[in-house]
Amino acid sequence: MKKSKNAFTMIELVFVIVVLGILAAVAVPKFAATRLDAQISKGKADVASIRSAIVTERQSRLIKGDSTWITEANMDSGGLFGGVLTYGISNESGVDGKWSATAGSGTYQFRLKGANNTFVYYDSTEADTTKRGKFLCTSGTYCSQLTD
């Protein structure tokens, strides 16, 4: 009488481990790139929302007869950009994919891959009238990707 054994051989187990290792080696770099793409998309959406909110605030002021832009000091009431957004953004310095700033300064950083991308909000006091009311990326590796 022969006994039937239902088990994997050592060669089959080694083969499976090798295949899983190859798949992991290919997949991990793809996930890292996907994370950066997601952070860029988040930053891009934030910039668009902030710019839209600044214009909406300006239109609201114009309807009331006030021709000034929101001031840098009022821009951050209730969190970063809380003066124009319904819900302000939390200030998280040194964290990739997050915003940071000194409240009321008009200068903000969005961090990607360990590098800050600096944005500046120019209010009614800006000497260069073409910059008034604008939220511009002034320096950083990913400025073009965050503002396109």
Side-chain angles (χ1 to χ4, degrees), residues 45-60:
D46 287 349
V47 169
S49 295
I50 294 162
R51 287 176 171 174
S52 176
I54 290 168
V55 170
T56 301
E57 174 66 21
R58 168 73 167 175
Q59 290 170 341
S60 175

Side-chain angles (χ1 to χ4, degrees), residues 61-77:
R61 287 170 177 250
L62 287 172
I63 289 171
K64 296 174 187 173
D66 181 359
S67 63
T68 63
W69 293 90
I70 188 169
T71 63
E72 292 171 356
N74 292 333
M75 185 81 152
D76 299 323
S77 59

Side-chain angles (χ1 to χ4, degrees), residues 22 24 33 49 60 67 86-87 121-122 124 127 131 144:
I22 291 170
S49 295
S60 175
S67 63
T86 303
Y87 302 102
Y121 169 67
Y122 298 97
S124 299
K131 289 184 178 179
S144 63

Side-chain angles (χ1 to χ4, degrees), residues 3 13 15 20-21 24 34 37-38 66 72 86 107 112 138 145 147:
K3 287 187 179 179
L13 290 174
F15 181 73
L20 289 175
T34 302
D37 290 345
D66 181 359
E72 292 171 356
T86 303
T107 302
L112 285 171
T138 57
Q145 290 172 295
T147 57

